[in-house]
Amino acid sequence: MGAGGLWIGPWFHQPPETARKDGKRVLLRRLCFGPAESWVWYELDGAFFREVRVLEGLQTSEASVDAVSREDLRRLLDAEAVLCESQGGADLAALFRAEAVKLL
């Protein structure tokens, strides 16, 4: 599959974004369909965050945002690259590796 995203189980893994929206630059987005929820890791003003949103069910519209360290985010991007590559997403893996290198 190309760098547009990759399905792994119920999760759709999306590549890093190059443009900023509302000051945020998304480094990793995972969307789950069953139940629907989104997990987004992003950079904002030099700090890093993880945002979790519930999109359906009794907890619809619940969200949490947590700060993430640069090192933890780098490890996550490295792990995401390994996962995507193991599932046939070499193009996507390369994008995550490139982002991880930027965090060194």
Side-chain angles (χ1 to χ4, degrees):
M1 176 160 277
L6 178 66
W7 282 101
I8 302 174
W11 290 92
F12 186 65
H13 300 246
Q14 292 183 291
E17 295 177 359
T18 55
R20 291 184 179 271
K21 295 177 187 157
D22 298 325
K24 298 178 185 177
R25 188 170 78 84
V26 173
L27 301 171
L28 169 61
R29 182 187 316 264
R30 294 180 186 159
L31 303 173
C32 182
F33 295 95
E37 60 185 76
S38 71
W39 289 54
V40 179
W41 288 263
Y42 62 90
E43 181 267 327
L44 176 65
D45 298 329
F48 303 97
F49 301 91
R50 178 191 69 191
E51 178 180 297
V52 178
R53 289 192 176 276
V54 178
L55 305 172
E56 71 178 4
L58 295 175
Q59 298 172 324
T60 297
S61 299
E62 285 189 17
S64 65
V65 177
D66 300 301
V68 178
S69 73
R70 176 180 290 270
E71 182 62 23
D72 285 346
L73 183 56
R74 189 190 60 74
R75 280 194 292 261
L76 174 68
L77 291 169
D78 282 336
E80 189 74 10
V82 170
L83 175 64
C84 290
E85 194 164 58
S86 74
Q87 300 297 311
D91 292 346
L92 191 55
L95 295 173
F96 289 124
R97 281 196 179 93
E99 289 298 331
V101 167
K102 291 178 188 176
L103 296 177
L104 288 175

